[in-house]
């Protein structure tokens, strides 16, 4: 009897060791992928001042044109995210992730070689398609591999790659801009093609939960044995649910049939958050230049903004796992609104930098928490579509962010007025979050594999 118990314990220990290795690889690959997503987000903002002041780079660029160029990539993200929502729920998470890594890397390299406004805008749009596919799929992957009770934390760790990548872009721009120029900075964004993609090809498995949800139970069990990932407790019900007239509808059909109002509110909430993220990451350096700081100093604000987002999201995720993501997201939006208002108070530099860090928590950090909220809100066979909806529809706000910033920066508005407007956007996001209903349906939680 004791020997049997010992054998079971040894087998369970071996399975857990496999699981840890698999989760570490998956989360690490996902984190690095989003690191370059964040790099892509801010590298343009770091170069805007160069484009505005040096027409030999792309031609004449006005604040309005700069805002439009910043939005082209986000239109691509919208397209890529919406396409990935259907493809990810039907063909699997792994294939979409590999495609995204290769696509956006090639797009970044192509952007570095452009010499006109039109070509720059076109390649930014194409790059955005890969970024959108990546963002839309990563949250689903994290939700399906992360241990129970720590999904928000793991999501925050992985999605901290976005502000960390933004931080990296700002730091590299400060150190390398004068040496390698904006083209060199964009070429750095192509590195995943020769680094991340090969690793992901060999180390990124398909999702066991997704395979079970598609009715491929034998494949799911084989993969679970190889990777140590546990089969969903409700795997038979998960497969049977594919023929259910309500809960069985997959991807977009199930999304809008089962969660119509919540989906609309979550999409609008994401759009509000991304409007703040992209407006600040694109225009904060320029606004700080106008406030009297030099070029290096203005980029330092961008570093602090994204550093605050990383730390704040990790702290917020621990609270979200314990008390629920909804209230945490609403509180972070509100905190961001207050911090943006405080930017107008004329604080000394040290205090101002601390306030900017809190702004990072209330904008990019909040968006990280939103992806965790959304990924764990939906059941498995609509999860990728749900995240894609928020990443895609949300990019409408992202598209509007640089345009709004360009309008405000080029329209003669006082800095105080610009910050008042952005603070009102953050407050609106808090209200939207409060309006989102909760998922108390036990059956849906079972089917989600949570």
């Amino acid at each position: 009897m004791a020997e049997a118990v010992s054998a079971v314990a040894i087998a369970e220990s071996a399975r857990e060791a496999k699981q840890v290795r698999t989760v570490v690889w998956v989360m690490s690959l996902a984190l690095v992928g989003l690191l370059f997503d964040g790099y892509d987000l801010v590298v343009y903002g770091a170069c805007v001042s160069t484009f505005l002041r040096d027409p030999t780079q792309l031609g004449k660029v006005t604040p309005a044109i700069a805002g439009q160029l910043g939005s082209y990539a986000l239109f691509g993200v919208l397209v890529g995210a919406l396409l990935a929502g259907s493809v990810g729920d039907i063909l699997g998470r792994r294939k979409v992730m590999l495609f995204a890594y290769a696509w956006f890397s090639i797009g970044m390299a192509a952007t570095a070689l452009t010499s006109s406004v039109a070509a720059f805008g076109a390649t930014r749009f194409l790059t955005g398609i890969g970024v959108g596919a990546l963002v839309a799929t990563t949250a689903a992957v994290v939700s399906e591999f992360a241990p129970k009770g720590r999904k928000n934390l793991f999501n925050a760790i992985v999605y901290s790659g976005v502000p960390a990548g933004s931080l990296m872009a700002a730091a590299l721009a400060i150190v390398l801009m004068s040496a390698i120029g904006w083209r060199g900075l964009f070429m750095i964004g192509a590195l995943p093609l020769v680094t991340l993609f090969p690793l992901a090809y060999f180390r990124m498995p398909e999702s066991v939960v997704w395979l079970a949800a598609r009715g491929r139970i034998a494949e799911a069990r084989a993969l679970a044995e190889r990777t140590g990932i546990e089969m969903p407790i409700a795997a038979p019900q998960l497969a049977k649910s594919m023929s259910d007239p309500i809960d069985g509808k997959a991807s977009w059909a199930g999304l809008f049939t089962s969660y119509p109002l919540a989906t609309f509110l979550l999409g609008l909430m994401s759009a509000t958050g991304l409007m703040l993220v992209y407006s600040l990451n694109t225009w904060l350096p320029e606004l700080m230049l106008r406030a009297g700081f030099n070029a290096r100093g203005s980029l330092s604000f961008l570093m602090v903004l994204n550093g605050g987002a990383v730390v704040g999201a990790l702290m917020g995720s621990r609270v979200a796992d314990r008390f629920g993501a909804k209230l945490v997201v609403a509180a972070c939006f509100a905190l961001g609104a207050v911090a943006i208002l405080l930017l107008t108070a004329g604080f000394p530099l040290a205090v101002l930098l601390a306030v900017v860090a809190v702004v990072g928590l209330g904008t990019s950090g909040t968006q990280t928490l939103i992806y965790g909220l959304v990924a764990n809100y939906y059941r498995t066979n609509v999860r990728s579509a749900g995240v894609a909806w928020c990443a895609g529809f949300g990019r409408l706000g992202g598209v509007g962010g640089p345009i709004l910033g360009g309008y405000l920066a080029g329209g003669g508005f006082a800095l105080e007025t610009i910050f008042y407007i952005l603070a009102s956007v953050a407050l609106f996001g808090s209200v939207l979050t409060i309006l989102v209903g909760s998922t108390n349906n036990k059956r849906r939680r079972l089917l989600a594999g949570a």
Side-chain angles (χ1 to χ4, degrees), residues 161-187:
V162 177
S166 300
L167 186 70
M168 180 176 74
L172 290 177
I174 291 172
V175 176
L176 299 177
M177 175 71 88
S178 60
I180 65 176
W182 70 268
R183 297 181 190 278
L185 291 176
F186 272 88
M187 195 61 74

Side-chain angles (χ1 to χ4, degrees), residues 73-426:
L74 303 182
F75 277 117
V77 172
L78 187 154
V79 173
L82 295 180
L83 289 175
S86 295
V87 175
D89 282 327
I90 295 172
L91 297 184
R93 321 304 194 203
R94 181 177 184 274
K95 292 178 181 177
V96 176
M97 295 282 277
L98 291 174
F99 166 84
Y101 293 150
W103 185 279
F104 82 73
S105 298
I106 294 170
M108 289 291 280
T111 303
L113 301 176
T114 60
S115 57
S116 69
V117 169
F120 185 90
T123 52
R124 290 295 288 157
F125 170 79
L126 293 173
T127 302
I129 293 176
V131 173
L134 176 63
V135 173
T137 310
T138 298
V141 169
V142 172
S143 179
E144 290 165 8
F145 278 94
K148 296 176 183 178
R150 288 189 286 174
K151 292 183 182 294
N152 283 295
L153 174 61
F154 274 60
N155 179 82
I157 291 172
V158 170
Y159 271 86
S160 68
V162 177
S166 300
L167 186 70
M168 180 176 74
L172 290 177
I174 291 172
V175 176
L176 299 177
M177 175 71 88
S178 60
I180 65 176
W182 70 268
R183 297 181 190 278
L185 291 176
F186 272 88
M187 195 61 74
I188 289 173
L191 289 176
L193 184 62
V194 294
T195 55
L196 182 60
F197 179 84
L199 279 173
Y201 183 84
F202 291 106
R203 292 291 186 175
M204 175 75 74
E206 186 52 86
S207 163
V208 171
V209 175
W210 177 81
L211 287 170
R214 297 298 295 174
R216 295 158 62 174
I217 303 299
E219 292 177 64
R221 285 180 177 147
L223 183 61
E225 176 65 27
R226 188 169 75 250
T227 61
I229 301 298
E230 291 183 281
M231 283 286 288
I233 295 175
Q237 296 94 315
L238 204 58
K240 183 180 179 181
S241 75
M242 300 302 291
S243 61
D244 186 283
I246 297 177
D247 281 343
K249 291 184 178 179
S251 195
W252 297 104
L255 186 67
F256 289 102
T257 299
S258 303
Y259 311 88
L261 179 59
T263 295
F264 171 75
L265 290 172
L266 288 169
L268 193 56
M269 181 179 69
S270 180
T272 302
L274 285 169
M275 176 174 285
L276 289 168
V277 170
Y278 281 90
S279 58
L280 286 168
N281 278 285
T282 300
W283 287 103
L284 187 61
E286 176 66 17
L287 293 176
M288 290 308 175
L289 273 174
R290 297 184 182 188
F293 296 92
N294 59 30
R296 286 178 178 267
S298 64
L299 287 171
S300 297
F301 282 102
L302 204 55
M303 292 179 61
V304 172
L305 178 79
N306 288 287
V310 172
V311 175
L314 291 175
M315 293 173 59
S317 67
R318 299 297 297 270
V319 181
D321 274 327
R322 186 169 182 179
F323 299 105
K326 175 182 166 180
L327 291 179
V328 176
V329 169
C332 288
F333 262 131
L335 188 61
V338 173
I340 293 172
L341 288 176
L342 291 177
L343 292 177
T344 67
F347 291 122
L349 179 59
V351 178
L352 186 60
L353 288 171
V355 172
V356 170
V358 178
V359 172
L361 162 62
T363 54
S364 295
T366 302
Q367 191 63 31
T368 296
L369 297 172
I370 287 173
Y371 286 127
L373 168 63
V374 172
N376 295 306
Y377 190 91
Y378 294 109
R379 64 177 185 267
T380 301
N381 65 349
V382 298
R383 182 173 291 137
S384 187
V387 176
W389 164 255
C390 287
F393 183 84
R395 251 48 185 200
L396 291 176
V399 168
I403 294 175
L404 174 64
Y407 171 75
L408 295 175
F413 291 90
L415 283 177
E416 290 81 359
T417 302
I418 294 174
F419 289 133
Y420 291 155
I421 292 172
L422 294 176
S424 67
V425 174

